Amino acid sequence: MKTEKRRAWPAVVALLAYSALLIYLAAERTTESAPGGMSLLRLQSLGEVYDWIINWSQRALLDIVRFIPVGFLLPLAFPRVERRSSRFFFVAVPTLLISIVLSGVILGFELGYGWQMPGSLDIVLPGLGCVLGIWMGMSWLQGPASLFMVLPKL
């Protein structure tokens, strides 16, 4: 495995700071703003169903977008690997596993008092944000110009 020396500590510091911020915000979250606060009995009119759909889609988009920086910073924290197959096995797969665990820890603080284990479906949307961020981070490692090609590929 051929690696290139570069400084990864700024990405590690930024990742730790952003993760600590997400954990702090999750721990400070009140129970009124917890997900799933709307009862099914309230969905009796079309306006309430519309409000529920808008509320859920905003929450889903927020879950995806706030985990993109976690996925983006993780590949930057690993040493640069030149070969494509090695880059997949030694950078992309470990960053995916680390990001899923990190998003599980952050979601565990959001679910209740202290820490609770999140379910597998709770991690789907943050995991999607992490995957999108990993894709952007891996593109950044190939060069900043290839990061601009991510948007047309979406």
Side-chain angles (χ1 to χ4, degrees):
M1 177 174 71
K2 191 175 180 182
T3 62
E4 175 186 314
K5 282 196 156 204
R6 66 181 171 87
R7 296 181 188 263
W9 66 267
V12 172
V13 169
L15 178 67
L16 290 175
Y18 187 71
S19 299
L21 175 70
L22 285 178
I23 289 173
Y24 173 75
L25 291 176
E28 290 295 315
R29 192 175 206 187
T30 61
T31 57
E32 294 88 35
S33 65
M38 186 175 281
S39 170
L40 288 178
L41 296 175
R42 291 188 54 199
L43 301 177
Q44 295 180 1
S45 72
L46 205 54
E48 291 172 352
V49 170
Y50 177 74
D51 290 341
W52 179 80
I53 290 172
I54 294 297
N55 187 17
W56 185 86
S57 57
Q58 287 174 347
R59 198 174 291 147
L61 186 63
L62 179 67
D63 274 347
I64 291 172
V65 168
R66 71 183 172 150
F67 283 95
I68 288 176
V70 172
F72 181 78
L73 291 171
L74 271 169
L76 302 178
F78 278 79
R80 172 111 188 215
V81 179
E82 294 299 322
R83 296 187 65 209
R84 187 178 184 95
S85 61
S86 298
R87 188 169 43 233
F88 176 76
F89 287 112
F90 294 113
V91 178
V93 172
T95 57
L96 180 64
L97 296 175
I98 292 170
S99 68
I100 296 298
V101 168
L102 191 58
S103 64
V105 168
I106 292 169
L107 287 176
F109 280 105
E110 284 183 0
L111 291 178
Y113 305 103
W115 190 83
Q116 293 179 355
M117 184 69 176
S120 58
L121 289 179
D122 294 331
I123 299 178
V124 169
L125 292 175
L128 184 63
C130 289
V131 167
L132 187 61
I134 289 170
W135 182 33
M136 290 177 170
M138 295 294 285
S139 295
W140 181 268
L141 289 176
Q142 294 174 0
S146 68
L147 183 63
F148 294 114
M149 294 305 296
V150 168
L151 291 176
K153 290 178 184 177
L154 285 176

